[in-house]
Amino acid sequence: MNKLLVLELLGAAGLILLLRQSRGLRRQIESMRAEIAAARIASALDTDGSVP
């Protein structure tokens, strides 16, 4: 009985860790997208001097 409880607790902890990591990855992806968008805008402004 105790072994089963320990396994269930470990499984729950693993799921929580996976959820936290996926949230962190989502934030990193959003941040990267924002940086790419800013770089595209900066590059467009540098090439022809006007807003696209």
Side-chain angles (χ1 to χ4, degrees):
M1 186 80 161
N2 282 340
K3 289 181 183 179
L4 184 59
L5 179 62
V6 169
L7 288 175
E8 289 175 356
L9 290 174
L10 285 174
L15 286 175
I16 290 170
L17 287 173
L18 282 175
L19 288 173
R20 292 184 75 191
Q21 280 185 339
S22 70
R23 232 184 308 170
L25 287 174
R26 241 182 282 139
R27 287 184 189 141
Q28 287 177 351
I29 290 170
E30 289 172 4
S31 173
M32 206 180 307
R33 284 181 179 162
E35 288 179 23
I36 291 170
R40 285 181 178 168
I41 291 170
S43 126
L45 291 174
D46 284 342
T47 56
D48 58 290
S50 64
V51 177

